């Protein structure tokens, strides 16, 4: 959380609920400012639609963060936050309807559409509305990208496509003898988000054409995979928010994230990410190559090692921001002594620049298994 980084000296003695309250206030204000700028954003080229998608992804991310904090936030505060998020969603929907003709654009997801005429979105107003209501959270948005996989190399067979409503996702496939050539790129049509689920032994690369599908990203249920999302997010089209969960024995190059990257239950893996903040939950034995504008947060983690983002992934904007990759806060370690759950990754154990440049991009000679062997992931 970038806001938390700016007030560290004030918040170090605050309880987690108080610290989250300050963060939530900051995020609500930032989202309001973004919505106010929508009316001055041009329609041509889809700029206004992209800005609205960015706001929607920010609301979804904030809703997820409220859920993540539910273990220590009182029930009444949860209702207050939920009402504020609903009001934000309503204001965004009203702004979108005013600015964009219905016949030209509409959100596919109605997750955040509410039936109440809630236009005021201050926390005080939300608290008043929350009185007497049942606890609840805004539901999680999940807009799967519609994509098909195509082999980069002719010897690599195309995976089976599983149809589910109006979305298509590649079916999970086990490693085979053709693994050395199994590097795939995905094509995107009108997708606004990226979802990669249920894969094993795959090397998946997002192409530059995915730059318009970065309103949000979700990766889940991956084993022994190499995922590279750096190309589309390095050209001014960073993910608004990113979620990783249930990943093991894999190398995940997340690319750039404007908001927070939420990582849950990742084991025996390497993560590469540039984000405003990293929140790592219930993960262990991971190497994290990080560029973060705010202090990284870990919770219920152990054996996590941090290193700065390799130069090959740094943008010009990154170089202008102080990297707080090693200013880690462990929310489950309250002692004044350093947390034993994380440490700085020794330079001798960091992946060499030549490996990032020559091996990890893959090719006919380097499949997922070869790359994981080279970087020593998952006991490979």
């Amino acid at each position: 959380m970038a806001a938390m980084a700016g007030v560290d000296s004030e918040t170090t003695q605050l309880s987690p609920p108080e610290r989250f309250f300050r963060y939530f206030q900051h995020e609500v204000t930032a989202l309001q400012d973004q919505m106010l700028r929508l009316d001055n954003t041009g329609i041509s080229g889809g700029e206004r639609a992209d800005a609205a998608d960015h706001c929607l992804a920010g609301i979804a991310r904030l809703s997820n963060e409220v859920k993540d904090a539910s273990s220590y936030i009182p029930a009444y505060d949860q209702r207050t936050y939920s009402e504020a998020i609903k009001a934000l969603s309503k204001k965004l929907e009203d702004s979108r309807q005013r600015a964009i003709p219905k016949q030209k654009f509409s959100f596919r997801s109605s997750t955040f559409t509410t039936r109440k005429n809630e236009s005021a979105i201050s926390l005080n107003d939300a608290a008043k509305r929350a009185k007497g209501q049942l606890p609840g959270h805004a539901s999680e948005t999940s807009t799967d990208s519609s994509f098909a996989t195509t082999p980069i190399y002719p010897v690599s067979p195309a995976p089976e496509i599983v149809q589910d409503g109006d979305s298509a996702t590649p079916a999970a496939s086990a490693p085979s003898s053709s693994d050395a050539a199994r590097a795939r790129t995905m094509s995107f049509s009108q997708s606004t988000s990226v979802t990669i689920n249920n894969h094993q032994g795959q090397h998946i690369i997002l192409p530059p054409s995915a730059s318009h599908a970065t309103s949000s990203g979700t990766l889940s249920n991956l084993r022994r995979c190499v995922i590279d999302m750096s190309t589309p997010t390095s050209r001014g089209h960073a993910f608004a928010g990113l979620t990783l969960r249930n990943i093991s024995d894999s190398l995940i190059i997340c690319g750039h994230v404007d908001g927070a990257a939420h990582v849950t239950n990742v084991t025996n893996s390497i993560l590469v990410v540039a984000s405003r903040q990293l929140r790592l939950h219930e993960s262990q034995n991971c190497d994290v190559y990080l560029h973060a504008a705010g202090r990284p947060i870990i919770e219920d983690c152990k054996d996590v090692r941090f290193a700065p983002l390799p130069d090959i992934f740094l943008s010009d904007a990154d170089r202008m921001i102080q990297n707080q990759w090693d200013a880690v806060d462990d929310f489950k370690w309250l002692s004044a002594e350093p947390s034993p759950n994380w440490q700085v990754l020794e330079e001798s154990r960091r992946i060499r620049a030549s490996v990032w440049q020559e091996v990890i991009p893959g090719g006919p000679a380097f499949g997922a298994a070869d790359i994981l062997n080279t970087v020593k992931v998952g006991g490979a």
Side-chain angles (χ1 to χ4, degrees):
M1 304 171 189
M4 293 173 67
V7 292
D8 282 332
S9 60
E10 301 177 18
T11 60
T12 51
Q13 302 302 321
L14 294 178
S15 67
E18 292 171 325
R19 192 182 309 177
F20 186 85
F21 174 78
R22 290 196 178 191
Y23 167 71
F24 191 89
Q25 282 184 311
H26 177 274
E27 293 299 291
V28 167
T29 301
L31 284 167
Q32 287 177 305
D33 291 342
Q34 292 177 33
M35 291 180 201
L36 288 175
R37 291 194 295 269
L38 278 179
D39 291 338
N40 297 324
T41 303
I43 298 177
S44 61
E47 293 180 9
R48 186 173 293 175
D50 288 345
D53 281 347
H54 187 83
C55 291
L56 184 63
I59 295 172
R61 171 179 54 79
L62 192 58
S63 176
N64 288 336
E65 289 176 339
V66 171
K67 293 178 183 178
D68 290 343
S70 61
S71 61
Y72 58 82
I73 294 177
Y76 176 78
D77 287 351
Q78 292 179 35
R79 293 196 295 271
T80 299
Y81 295 142
S82 180
E83 287 298 318
I85 289 171
K86 288 179 182 178
L88 278 171
S89 303
K90 177 59 178 174
K91 183 170 184 178
L92 175 61
E93 180 67 13
D94 290 345
S95 176
R96 184 182 64 82
Q97 293 295 340
R98 287 194 310 270
I100 305 174
K102 292 182 180 179
Q103 63 270 26
K104 292 184 178 180
F105 180 87
S106 63
F107 282 107
R108 290 179 58 191
S109 172
S110 61
T111 301
F112 292 104
T113 302
T114 63
R115 290 172 293 188
K116 298 180 181 180
N117 292 322
E118 297 143 318
S119 57
I121 55 178
S122 70
L123 290 183
N124 288 337
D125 290 340
K128 292 177 182 178
R129 287 196 298 272
K131 287 183 178 179
Q133 297 185 11
L134 294 175
H137 306 286
S139 59
E140 180 178 359
T141 299
S142 177
T143 306
D144 288 348
S145 57
S146 299
F147 54 75
T149 60
T150 55
I152 291 180
Y153 307 105
V155 296
S156 178
E160 177 185 0
I161 302 296
V162 177
Q163 297 290 343
D164 181 12
D166 62 352
S167 65
T169 59
S173 57
S176 68
S177 59
S178 63
D179 184 74
R182 187 177 291 153
R184 307 188 184 283
T185 184
M186 296 178 174
S187 61
F188 295 77
S189 55
Q190 298 180 352
S191 303
T192 60
S193 62
V194 173
T195 301
I196 303 175
N197 297 331
N198 305 318
H199 286 278
Q200 178 172 328
Q202 293 280 346
H203 184 191
I204 297 174
I205 303 171
L206 261 61
S209 61
S211 61
H212 66 278
T214 55
S215 65
S216 64
T218 302
L219 278 64
S220 64
N221 302 322
L222 304 175
R223 182 175 181 273
R224 293 197 60 76
C225 288
V226 177
I227 311 293
D228 186 351
M229 303 187 293
S230 60
T231 299
T233 65
S234 63
R235 304 181 180 184
H237 295 278
F239 285 111
L242 182 65
T243 300
L244 278 63
R245 57 178 177 265
N246 303 332
I247 297 172
S248 64
D249 306 314
S250 297
L251 167 61
I252 310 295
I253 303 174
C254 302
H256 284 71
V257 186
D258 278 343
H262 291 265
V263 180
T264 304
N265 191 29
V266 174
T267 59
N268 308 323
S269 297
I270 295 175
L271 305 179
V272 183
V273 59
S275 64
R276 188 169 64 180
Q277 193 197 40
L278 174 71
R279 295 181 62 94
L280 193 63
H281 305 273
E282 300 170 9
S283 300
Q284 62 180 349
N285 193 28
C286 293
D287 291 349
V288 181
Y289 292 82
L290 178 65
H291 189 285
R295 298 172 67 93
I297 291 173
I298 66 172
E299 191 171 18
D300 294 317
C301 298
K302 64 180 181 179
D303 299 327
V304 180
R305 297 164 291 275
F306 287 88
L309 192 72
D311 286 345
I312 190 174
F313 299 112
L314 284 173
S315 68
D316 291 340
D318 292 333
R319 301 178 194 278
M320 298 176 64
I321 300 173
Q322 180 183 0
N323 186 4
Q324 301 197 54
W325 64 275
D326 58 349
V328 180
D329 288 329
D330 187 346
F331 274 16
K332 287 300 180 72
W333 183 258
L334 303 180
S335 171
E337 298 296 322
S339 168
N341 299 315
W342 73 275
Q343 59 183 310
V344 171
L345 181 63
E346 299 172 4
E347 290 193 24
S348 61
R349 297 180 57 188
R350 298 175 189 175
I351 298 173
R352 299 189 307 276
S354 59
V355 176
W356 291 117
Q357 295 170 350
E358 300 170 11
V359 177
I360 291 176
F366 296 106
D370 301 301
I371 295 171
L372 295 177
N373 270 314
T374 302
V375 298
K376 297 180 173 58
V377 163

